[in-house]
């Protein structure tokens, strides 16, 4: 099997058929599609069942609602492909996505490759300022080590953590024994940072191959909350357990300063416990005075 496409599914019945059609119509035929229904309460499971009956390459598993990390980890246990692609279950993809990525990954023998994507804004979704284009900063067919790459992304403010812009060799994942941290949102921040810093064999592909839907009900479309901030602090905790090196400190300054600047949006009554957690953990040096003052006073 060349590629395992992993699809966490939670209440995406309105979009799931389009996403499954993108996967089943891929020009690379030697693939498996592993979906995990994470306790959906809409018609997502019936759609999965219908497509599974139509295409033997599709398998799906049910679990009680545990979040995207647990769904991806569940799917990974069943993956047999040489490469892993994590697709969001409401996204659209170029029909040559997996073939193009597979050929380039084979050509370069990369641990993983990354590419660009587009935004697909749904009516009512909060506008997002960032974009998913960064390969213009790099050279194609050039090998990068993770620390050099992350430094460049942070310095140019083009860091992007999403896993659906990555195409990963499964043997590499097995070697570093990397799994998604369960029970949090913003889990990609932790996963892709460790994935990147553990490799000295990364390549970029100068193509835009995925359209990522920004929904009003999605993680990226909802209002900022106490949960967002707590999950980012958990990411910081885990990264410092992984390594305490200058690049980790740089990443935390880049990330937590933004998190706390944006955090002024949460209700005032929720702020003391968040600030106390950050203070107790020694994170004020990453947050910075300006962001701390904005968080407290604005």
């Amino acid at each position: 099997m060349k590629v395992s496409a992993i699809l966490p599914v939670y209440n995406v019945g309105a979009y799931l058929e389009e996403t499954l059609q993108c996967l089943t119509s891929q020009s690379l035929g030697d693939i498996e599609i592993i979906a995990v229904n994470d306790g959906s309460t809409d018609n997502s499971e019936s759609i999965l069942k219908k497509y599974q009956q139509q295409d033997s390459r599709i398998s799906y598993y049910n679990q009680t609602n545990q979040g995207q990390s647990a769904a991806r980890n569940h799917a990974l246990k069943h993956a047999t492909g040489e490469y892993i692609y994590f697709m969001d279950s409401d996204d659209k993809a170029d029909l040559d996505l997996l073939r193009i990525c597979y050929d380039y990954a084979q050509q370069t023998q990369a641990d993983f490759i990354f590419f660009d994507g587009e935004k697909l804004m749904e009516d009512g979704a909060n506008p997002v300022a960032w974009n998913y284009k960064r390969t213009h900063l790099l050279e194609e067919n050039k090998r990068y080590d993770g620390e050099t790459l992350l430094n460049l992304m942070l310095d140019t403010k083009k860091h992007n953590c999403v896993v659906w812009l990555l195409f990963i060799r499964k043997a590499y994942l097995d070697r570093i024994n990397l799994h998604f941290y369960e029970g949090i949102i913003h889990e990609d921040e932790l996963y892709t940072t460790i994935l990147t810093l553990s490799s000295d064999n990364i390549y970029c592909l100068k193509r835009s191959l995925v359209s990522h839907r920004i929904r009003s009900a999605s993680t990226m479309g909802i209002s900022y909350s106490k949960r967002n901030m707590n999950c980012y602090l958990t990411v910081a905790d885990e990264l410092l357990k992984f390594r305490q090196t200058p690049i980790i400190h740089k990443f935390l300054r880049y990330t937590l300063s933004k998190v706390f600047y944006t955090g002024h949006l949460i209700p005032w009554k929720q702020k003391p416990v968040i600030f106390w957690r950050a203070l107790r953990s020694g994170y004020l040096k990453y947050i910075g005075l300006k962001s701390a003052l904005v968080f407290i006073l604005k």
Side-chain angles (χ1 to χ4, degrees):
M1 188 67 62
K2 291 180 178 177
V3 180
S4 297
I6 287 176
L7 199 65
V9 174
Y10 179 69
N11 288 351
V12 286
Y15 316 99
L16 185 55
E17 292 204 51
E18 187 174 27
T19 300
L20 287 169
Q21 197 61 43
C22 284
L23 288 173
T24 56
S25 301
Q26 287 291 306
S27 58
L28 181 69
D30 188 17
I31 67 173
E32 62 182 1
I33 301 161
I34 306 172
V36 175
N37 178 34
D38 185 39
S40 295
T41 56
D42 66 355
N43 64 334
S44 292
E45 184 181 359
S46 63
I47 293 170
L48 289 172
K49 185 175 183 179
K50 181 181 79 170
Y51 272 79
Q52 184 188 48
Q53 291 170 343
Q54 295 172 355
D55 195 322
S56 61
R57 297 174 300 171
I58 298 175
S59 58
Y60 80 88
Y61 303 87
N62 286 315
Q63 66 179 29
T64 57
N65 181 238
Q66 300 171 56
Q68 189 163 244
S69 290
R72 287 171 174 164
N73 287 339
H74 190 163
L76 278 168
K77 295 175 183 177
H78 300 280
T80 63
E82 186 180 354
Y83 292 92
I84 301 293
Y85 177 63
F86 297 105
M87 187 166 184
D88 277 8
S89 52
D90 53 357
D91 283 358
K92 295 170 63 176
D94 189 298
L95 297 186
D96 292 321
L97 163 71
L98 298 181
R99 179 186 58 78
I100 290 170
C101 288
Y102 179 82
D103 289 346
Y104 187 61
Q106 286 288 93
Q107 172 195 324
T108 59
Q109 289 296 295
D111 289 335
F112 69 92
I113 65 171
F114 64 94
F115 47 90
D116 289 334
E118 309 291 335
K119 288 185 294 187
L120 186 59
M121 297 296 297
E122 183 183 69
D123 290 344
N126 292 336
V128 291
W130 62 86
N131 63 49
Y132 298 112
K133 298 182 185 298
R134 52 185 170 159
T135 63
H136 63 280
L137 300 170
L138 302 159
E139 297 179 42
E140 207 166 71
N141 297 311
K142 178 178 178 179
R143 176 174 173 170
Y144 289 90
D145 69 88
E147 185 160 337
T148 297
L149 186 62
L150 185 55
N151 262 309
L152 175 63
M153 293 299 127
L154 296 176
D155 289 344
T156 56
K157 303 189 186 307
K158 289 292 185 181
H159 169 66
N160 205 307
C161 69
V162 295
V163 295
W164 42 266
L165 292 179
L166 310 178
F167 190 79
I168 311 165
R169 186 181 295 274
K170 186 174 185 296
Y172 171 60
L173 285 181
D174 292 341
R175 174 161 55 86
I176 65 175
N177 193 30
L178 183 60
H179 302 89
F180 289 91
Y181 190 99
E182 299 186 10
I184 63 171
I185 53 175
H186 307 301
E187 68 282 350
D188 284 6
E189 292 276 0
L190 178 60
Y191 189 90
T192 58
T193 303
I194 294 176
L195 184 85
T196 300
L197 292 177
S198 298
S199 178
D200 61 358
N201 186 26
I202 306 166
Y203 286 78
C204 83
L205 176 63
K206 290 178 175 287
R207 295 285 298 270
S208 188
L209 296 171
V210 175
S211 294
H212 180 64
R213 196 181 305 273
I214 310 295
R215 296 187 286 127
S216 56
S218 69
T219 303
M220 305 312 299
I222 59 176
S223 300
Y224 212 70
S225 69
K226 176 183 175 182
R227 186 184 181 202
N228 293 84
M229 300 196 70
N230 267 320
C231 290
Y232 273 117
L233 290 173
T234 298
V235 168
D237 294 342
E238 294 302 312
L239 283 176
L240 289 170
K241 290 177 187 176
F242 168 66
R243 279 181 198 166
Q244 295 205 25
T245 56
I247 188 63
I248 294 292
H249 299 310
K250 183 176 184 176
F251 174 84
L252 293 179
R253 286 193 299 272
Y254 177 90
T255 302
L256 292 184
S257 61
K258 292 183 176 181
V259 166
F260 273 78
Y261 190 92
T262 308
H264 76 268
L265 296 170
I266 73 172
W268 167 252
K269 64 182 180 180
Q270 296 178 0
K271 292 183 179 182
V273 67
I274 295 290
F275 193 77
W276 174 243
R277 179 180 174 184
L279 182 66
R280 188 176 68 246
S281 299
Y283 292 163
L284 288 187
K285 61 181 177 288
Y286 303 127
I287 296 166
L289 180 60
K290 178 181 177 181
S291 293
L293 289 175
V294 167
F295 175 70
I296 296 169
L297 301 176
K298 189 168 180 180

